[in-house]
Amino acid sequence: MDGEPLRVGLLGGGTVGSQVARLILEHGDDLAARIGRPLELVGIVVRNLDRPRPGLPASLLTTDAEGLVTREGIDIAIELIGGIDPAQDLILKAMSHGASVVTANKALLAAKGDELFGAAQHAGVDLYYEAAVAGAIPIVRPLSESLVGDEIQVVMGIVNGTTNYILDKMTAEGMDYQTALVQAQDLGYAEADPTADVEGHDAAAKAALLASLAFHTRVRGDQVHREGITGVAPQDIRAARGLGCVVKLLAVAKLLDDGQISVRVHPAMVPNTHPLASVKGAYNAIFVEAAAAGRLMFLGPGAGGAPTASAVVGDLVTVARNRSRGVVGPVQPMYNDHEVAPMGLVTTRYFVRLRVQDEPGVLAGVAGVFARHHISVQDVQQTPAGGKAGDASAELYLLTHEAKEADLLECVADLQASPQVQAAVRFMRVEGM
Amino acid sequence: MDGEPLRVGLLGGGTVGSQVARLILEHGDDLAARIGRPLELVGIVVRNLDRPRPGLPASLLTTDAEGLVTREGIDIAIELIGGIDPAQDLILKAMSHGASVVTANKALLAAKGDELFGAAQHAGVDLYYEAAVAGAIPIVRPLSESLVGDEIQVVMGIVNGTTNYILDKMTAEGMDYQTALVQAQDLGYAEADPTADVEGHDAAAKAALLASLAFHTRVRGDQVHREGITGVAPQDIRAARGLGCVVKLLAVAKLLDDGQISVRVHPAMVPNTHPLASVKGAYNAIFVEAAAAGRLMFLGPGAGGAPTASAVVGDLVTVARNRSRGVVGPVQPMYNDHEVAPMGLVTTRYFVRLRVQDEPGVLAGVAGVFARHHISVQDVQQTPAGGKAGDASAELYLLTHEAKEADLLECVADLQASPQVQAAVRFMRVEGM
Ligand SMILES: NC(=O)c1ccc[n+]([C@@H]2O[C@H](COP(=O)([O-])OP(=O)(O)OC[C@H]3O[C@@H](n4cnc5c(N)ncnc54)[C@H](OP(=O)(O)O)[C@@H]3O)[C@@H](O)[C@H]2O)c1
Ligand SMILES: NC(=O)c1ccc[n+]([C@@H]2O[C@H](COP(=O)([O-])OP(=O)(O)OC[C@H]3O[C@@H](n4cnc5c(N)ncnc54)[C@H](OP(=O)(O)O)[C@@H]3O)[C@@H](O)[C@H]2O)c1
């Protein structure tokens, strides 16, 4: 292959970094042919030099991250350390020293996207991040290029494999949340500290990136309404089944009628007929609805060392091609300023579950509360819930038509205050029906 | 918006062209914001100026295609005429006059890709074609950029909505091919002359483009082994159901162990558990298997004016961004020279159906023929097929393990020659099991 090699510095040699190094080292000839110039991996930054790292040449390992990104002649820095510090600082230093950057760091991009993309533009370098949303699934280019001529209305995805695995277990095997979590941990699908996944932080960062791309508006992770799956009960899963639905943790970004956008992560019931319902285990999928294109879905492995490395090396080739031609890729102008709507203004359908005294007039009373809050009920099911003789209670399951969340919350509060309601009133949003 | 408008000439104002014009005219401000410069639609080429064209400004219509593409200052030509002539000539003229080109013309690209991409490079302009494969589904960028760091092993898709609609009807409602075709024509899913769809020409052109992208090798449409759906019988559909499969017209591109590639379009049985099996009606889907990324699928509307226009305008924005920055997009180097394997060397699994005399020893005889050709049989089912008393016959259904097509064909010829075999021996390939 002609031409000077492009010099690549790799920050991080962990789950993803080690696979990126492997792909670069094993497929050098192919990558060079695709780029038009060879790549040279000049260093791999880790914290601990003593850890055995099969497949990674010891001569490339270093703990001097700053030295690597500011080294003379680095063309491309790949950031796979994760977190805000020192990743942000290293990326900014690499860019100010003239290197283009590839990263998979959704947490950082969702927190500091404005600064980072601004710095890349200022430095005249690329900042690519296909791996940051849904691992191996191509979604950044589809949204920022293939669909950029269209008006995207909804992006709705299963973007966290850990929680999808847990909910799948709860659905298929009737496990409770805690049992399914422990099993996911035993199998390596969930971390020892599962907070980032099960509380929805990871999905919220991805939702922010998806919403930014879809609506040409910068959305930060902390603007995303976020609920995790720790409160999902076996009863919710069973109730979903009764409705012909499954419970999924969804990342939702929707353009509302008033020009605001709704960006949120929460468990939701999804009808079995919806393409997202059949996404199993650690797979991810992103469903997109656009005015002209219609309904699209992208499915694939959302995490894991090799799949994520595939997306990183795809970016690496793209950035290297740009660099060898002396250009940078297009910038996504964030020209809209859609506001993120407060949850109270969001409309969706709801499933409401409550336990009431099983006596004449209760159903009418409950229906009256919904009516008072202008929430139209599509379907009610009543099942005896057992209880002592003379103290029988019933479970009521209600499915509403579209309603405003603020109205729903007031309705729930009113129901809760009613003397006939015996336990906590629970609700779950229903999407894709 | 700052800057001189980019001047766009539209060749074709039919199903897709009219929708492209609509999107450009209705969403001018958004497109300008995304590009960084406004677009100006300067002309729309049609054959017949008298036809009413609601939504298309009469002042833009012209029959002078050559005049439009060679007009001073045209930045981008969009070719939506279709076919080889005059589309090829117009694209080459537009490029030699300095315009970048967007097209949805798979037939032309599959026949003349080398010349056209060569001419684009020579002229220093872009040639984009996201809409040419699977309509609105982003697949060109995913293959050429997102997955470009990976080793793609299989691309397998449902890339023709007309045939998928017909096979769906045959499956869901037990219709025969002819009845389903007529219904598809009545509903506008199939053309009056359905040849391009039902004989697999359209799918073969797309298979060639997919294989070229996936394997970095130029594959032409006429190198694709092609069988249409006109021979699919209700018995095949029923037999597939018995195997837990559905019949789909697949476009398959596979990297073989010996470095050759198999590129083919034919009906195949696909297990119900495979993600392609659930692709319904006029939807398209493309399944990709890559060494690092694993299994991915892309689903969406594969045709239709608005969905196809979405992909065209996505390319238009990308090309316009390039142009306003004075760059062109990356070229896909076709650096491999994988040969297209003759069908005889392809291995897959087969379903074989034959009618035999229902008498002792027949099954052993049939099994012996398979064994002689080194084809291992996974499963045999025998069902009485009726017939006159004393002349009873049975249907044998056999599912093979992977076998070489040449062996299978010899085996089928031997079976056909056997005196116990009463009717034409039929077989169908089984993919994705
Ligand atoms: N894992 C996935 O499936 C996945 C999927 C999509 C995106 N991502 C993203 O990819 C990034 C990397 O994830 P990962 O799973 O590969 O993480 P990981 O396995 O924890 O690896 C992190 C690597 O960075 C090194 N490192 C950490 N802090 C450092 C510091 N201060 N200075 C120098 N080196 C440091 C570590 O060194 P030691 O090896 O010495 O500890 C390790 O090699 C994250 O942004 C993550 O969100 C991961
Ligand atoms: N339709 C789809 O769903 C779809 C999907 C994917 C890709 N495509 C591709 O998109 C392209 C256009 O398809 P389409 O369905 O829009 O075709 P169409 O409806 O037949 O439109 C063709 C247009 O080109 C004009 N035209 C034809 N021959 C011409 C000539 N010699 N000189 C000047 N103008 C001429 C026609 O003029 P008149 O209007 O006066 O006849 C018409 O406006 C094709 O390459 C097709 O393969 C189509």
Side-chain angles (χ1 to χ4, degrees), chain A residues 30 33-34 130 141 144-146 148 150-151 216 292-293 295-297 299 301 307 310 321 325 328 332-333 335, chain B residues 30 33-34 138 141 144-146 148 150-151 216 292-293 295-297 299 301 307 310 321 325 328 332-333 335:
Chain A
D30 268 312
R34 293 173 198 175
E130 184 70 79
R141 284 173 186 80
S144 63
E145 299 192 24
S146 311
V148 71
D150 209 331
E151 303 305 310
H216 310 276
R295 296 155 61 102
L296 306 160
M297 194 172 81
L299 171 76
S310 168
R321 283 173 170 170
R325 301 185 303 127
V328 290
Q332 307 306 320
Y335 67 92
Chain B
D30 268 312
R34 292 173 199 175
R141 285 173 186 81
S144 63
E145 299 192 23
S146 312
V148 72
D150 209 330
E151 303 306 310
H216 310 276
R295 295 155 62 103
L296 305 159
M297 195 172 82
L299 171 77
S310 168
R321 283 172 169 172
R325 299 185 305 129
V328 291
Q332 306 306 320
Y335 67 92

Side-chain angles (χ1 to χ4, degrees), chain A residues 12-16 47-48 51 53 80-82 104-106 303-304 308:
Chain A
T15 307
V16 183
R47 258 176 316 202
N48 178 353
R51 186 180 296 179
R53 304 188 190 260
L80 296 168
I81 287 177
N105 193 334
K106 53 238 153 188
T308 308

Side-chain angles (χ1 to χ4, degrees), chain B residues 208-256:
Chain B
L209 297 177
L210 289 170
S212 301
L213 284 170
F215 305 124
H216 310 276
T217 257
R218 178 69 59 204
V219 178
R220 287 189 322 277
D222 60 13
Q223 295 176 284
V224 179
H225 174 86
R226 179 182 51 74
E227 298 168 32
I229 63 163
T230 57
V232 175
Q235 293 95 303
D236 297 318
I237 305 266
R238 282 198 297 273
R241 183 172 304 135
L243 282 177
C245 290
V246 287
V247 176
K248 295 288 184 188
L249 182 71
L250 292 186
V252 181
K254 268 192 198 173
L255 186 59
L256 307 182

Side-chain angles (χ1 to χ4, degrees), chain A residues 51-174:
Chain A
R51 186 180 296 179
R53 304 188 190 260
L56 302 193
S59 60
L60 293 181
L61 295 174
T62 170
T63 57
D64 181 11
E66 194 160 326
L68 183 65
V69 297
T70 59
R71 199 191 289 184
E72 191 61 35
I74 289 285
D75 292 291
I76 301 165
I78 304 177
E79 185 278 305
L80 296 168
I81 287 177
I84 308 292
D85 285 320
Q88 178 180 18
D89 196 48
L90 292 169
I91 289 177
L92 291 172
K93 284 223 170 75
M95 296 199 292
S96 71
H97 279 74
S100 285
V101 171
V102 174
T103 180
N105 193 334
K106 53 238 153 188
L108 176 59
L109 290 171
K112 308 282 179 180
D114 256 342
E115 293 88 320
L116 292 167
F117 290 104
Q121 244 190 303
H122 183 75
V125 298
D126 276 327
L127 173 56
Y128 273 60
Y129 61 102
E130 184 70 79
V133 189
I137 306 175
I139 187 65
V140 174
R141 284 173 186 80
L143 290 177
S144 63
E145 299 192 24
S146 311
L147 289 162
V148 71
D150 209 331
E151 303 305 310
I152 294 177
Q153 293 154 335
V154 180
V155 180
M156 191 158 89
I158 294 168
V159 294
N160 182 275
T162 306
T163 47
N164 201 50
Y165 178 87
I166 293 171
L167 292 171
D168 238 29
K169 281 281 153 189
M170 293 176 69
T171 303
E173 300 174 26

